[in-house]
Amino acid sequence: FFFFFQESMHAYAANVYTTVIEELMKGKQRKFIAVEQEFFRLWWDMVATDTQKQQVHQLLQEGRLEFVIGGQVMHDEAVTLIDDQILQLTEGHGFLYETFGFRPQFSWHVDPFGASATTPTLFSLAGFNAHLISRIDYDLKADMQKNKKLQFVWQGSPSLSERQEIFTHVMDQYSYCTPSQLPFSNRSGFFWNGFATFPDPPKDGVYPNMSLPVTDANVHLYAQTMVANIKERAAWFRTGDVLWPWGCDKQFFNASVQYSNMDLLVDYINKHSGEFGVTVQYATVSDYFQAVYSRNLTWETRDSQDFLPYSTEPFQAWTGFYTSRSTLKGIARRASSLLYAGESFFTQYVRKHPEGSVCKCKALKQLQSLRWAVSEVQHHDGITGTESPKVKDMYMNNLMYGMFNVKKLMASIIFDINNAKKNGEVYSSVYTEDSGKPDVDQYVVVYNPLAWNITTFVTVSVSSEAMSVYDELGRSVPAQVQSSVESQSTYDLYILVAINGLSYRKYSIKPLNGKQSAFIGKSIKYKRRDLTRADQQSRQLFPVVNSCYEVVFDQNTNLMHSITERETNQTVQFTQEFLEYHVNGDTMKGPISDNYLFAPNASAVPVSKAVGLEVMSGSLMTEIRQYFYSNVTSQDYIYAVYTRLYSVPEGYDGKLLCHRIEQEYSVGPLELNREAVLRTSTNLNTRQLLYTDNNGYQMQKRPFKAYVNNTVARNYYPMVQTAYIEDDTTRLMLLAERAHGVSSQGNGQVEVMLHRRLWNNLQWNLNNNLTLNDSSVVRPVIWLILGTKAVTNTLYRTSGLALEHRPVVMFGALSGDKPKLPRRLQQNSVHDSAVTVPPNLHLQTLSIPGWKYSSNHAEQVRSIRMGKQKQDDADFSRVLLRIRHLYEVGEDPVLSQPVMVDLKSLLKGLGSVTAVEERSLTGTWDVNTLERWKWKTAQYPGKGFFNSTEASEDYTVTVHPKEIRTFFVYFQVQ
């Protein structure tokens, strides 16, 4: 399937499930928890025998095998987007429910590097009763442990507060692995199967570090060691129940030797429980939480503050991975956004063209290949960039393959809808570099995946300046063409597109034949400036203006000087420079930076002594190209910024376009042990307070904190989609299309880490080939919005999503002698049936999952017991719909209001809605039957169950601030 997985399956994962199932069947007292579905599904589909499958069903019913979390992977919490977290959870939960009728209700988030406040909300919405984390700041954990505060009720969302709160358990200092020190032996203890070796298991079955077997001679010593550790931990918790995890990474690949030794030890302690003062039993996560819940204690609540960043020691701040492998982070997000577009595109096709010629089963497989790839890369050693190069390549290949499939699907749907003859080829810009021949008329099909009307520019590469663009009705479309940044021989054609929600439009691009053409951007090149000799006194300022901003550059330095927001006439001093942190890679010389850690030697150092400038100006757009050189005579630049400002003609809604300053950066290849940042300095009095988002869902306040050691690195935070700084009147907002580390190291400053290239000699890293010798050039994009808090508030959520979900562009060519596509395209296009929600709501999901399960639980369980749910085809009649409210309570006087949505009318373009079922976040629970445990808190002394939100009788739902509502929608069969 994938070589890494094959390797892991061969050396390890297959053995875990095969031997664990066998061992569980041998002893009624034995139990086991399984987490990530990706490996389990591979075992289930490729390795498991019918007997083993029967045994899994039986063990699940007996509660001796338990799936916790149940997502495809244990996702990272710092650098992932909420959409992708939901996707990977839904993907795993759908499989478990369809196959076993099983719904996970507990989490086991033991390994992500820091904990986000979005996670408790998601797990609450998915129906979980308790959440479990481990990796939080070492000093904070020590303090909570001492004061018995490792358990609390977490209200992760300020707006949803107690409605979606969840009991949270933080593991103590021993974390999720069994402590392996034995006072009576110099061999490690409790890991009798040793450590897995990759890629080939040893022939003689003797693995490294196999623990001393339990014998009559040493069982008492083993028991004393285990009991001492249990008692030490019991002192850190409020109840007499101690969760003692048995296992670690890559354990239980030989379950027989594990369980046989564990049995001896457990039996011995229980026989002598009077002497030891403890009893021990095998347990699952739900057994543990059930025990704590039944104690009926009153718990403290925690507000929406997260646990980021995460440090394990004074010089070990895990803030490097916020930027590691920036290319992978970028591709993962592009893949996610393409999947989002492909899902709604396919859903509309199935609804509106039931007779269409595109094979639905094949289409679903194409979508599933990308669902799987986007899900797996959310792993806490995936999108984080903390994997070896070989595993990174596997993630990349799977993403590229999935994207290729979905583009192919979208192209074939357009092709089918337009009844094109097989000679009008539809193909996509990404898997063919050639975007059309100059002598052939070409057309572009542009799909807007958002449920809002969007006005924006799309870029097409063309081979000459003389081009005209027309819409479906032959009307001229505003466009601008200019020489490309990338190459001397091609031109970038910017086309102004206005597209309704979830609709596409078609534009034809023709070589000029005397009629009106696209505007041509004119280039002015300025002399390269030596920053070291720039005269600070004599500024030569020149402005670049659109109707929202005046951006001023200084010709003396070729750097940006200030930005004026024209509505309020507020001017902010504004300069940007690239700097590098120099870091150490030699463990003998001090703390190191690696894939995980960021450990700067000193302050960041400016990288360039000279800046070149070119301005491309045209009537729709001005692009400022700045090139940063290490000195005045350097041939090549390692850093560049391309800044774009748009002017929107009359008759178009230019609000979002006008208010953003788009920046694209080119960074690399870096020298070794350098970490590259873009620092933006303003004269805003921000008091060094930064705001960054949790997973594109909610904002966190980040005051600058001074530490004895490592202050720079410990003040880095993840920016997944949004960060901002502000003073009393003005806010500067940054929107990103991939995750970055971000920090405010000075008043009025915000810096974004864009790229890292590292090498170190830490033995663990060398053993696992964990190097970050990343010599790539990265091209991230950040949009800047500057304005009053009120104005930025109305813009930033829609703008962030407009950046995340830019329109999908597909190309086709029509050679001269072929007839044009039929005119009835207009009537037929997705156009007429736009799906549109108000600007404070986001259509989070519109897809056809294909699950075969019954949404009636009793019926689903019955059909599994009878073995009936196997061979049917996928179900194309169930549509999964999610709607998310984008605002917090009180954030904006208008946009923070609840919104009433009539689902029937929202989806009328897809057909006539006959039934709507409201479901839990991942779809496996009917919200009316979902009862989560209510834990006693000081605010709510009563204990009991949460019942969920109001159900929708007449197809109208009221969506409150920050809610994510999930529905199954069924339409009248056509």
Side-chain angles (χ1 to χ4, degrees), residues 708-769:
V708 179
N709 297 310
N710 217 15
T711 292
V712 170
R714 288 188 82 172
N715 278 284
Y716 255 80
Y717 295 92
M719 159 170 74
V720 177
Q721 205 168 40
T722 315
Y724 64 83
I725 54 173
E726 62 185 17
D727 65 10
D728 299 336
T729 57
T730 308
R731 180 183 289 169
L732 170 67
M733 203 105 208
L734 280 65
L735 302 172
E737 41 70 83
R738 70 188 71 180
H740 299 279
V742 59
S743 185
S744 178
Q745 297 284 340
N747 189 22
Q749 280 183 5
V750 57
E751 65 179 55
V752 181
M753 191 181 288
L754 297 175
H755 202 13
R756 323 177 68 215
R757 184 179 180 187
L758 308 170
W759 174 264
N760 68 78
N761 57 7
L762 185 69
Q763 202 50 53
W764 196 85
N765 286 339
L766 294 175
N767 295 349
N768 294 284
N769 193 14

Side-chain angles (χ1 to χ4, degrees), residues 809-853:
V809 179
M810 287 164 286
F811 294 101
L814 293 174
S815 53
D817 56 334
K818 300 277 174 6
K820 295 283 169 281
L821 280 181
R823 265 293 154 85
R824 61 188 197 88
L825 172 63
Q826 287 92 251
Q827 288 75 53
N828 204 338
S829 90
V830 182
H831 233 44
D832 321 319
S833 49
V835 178
T836 316
V837 295
N840 51 355
L841 295 189
H842 171 46
L843 189 73
Q844 172 101 30
T845 309
L846 180 66
S847 75
I848 294 179
W851 300 313
K852 303 169 223 175
Y853 61 69

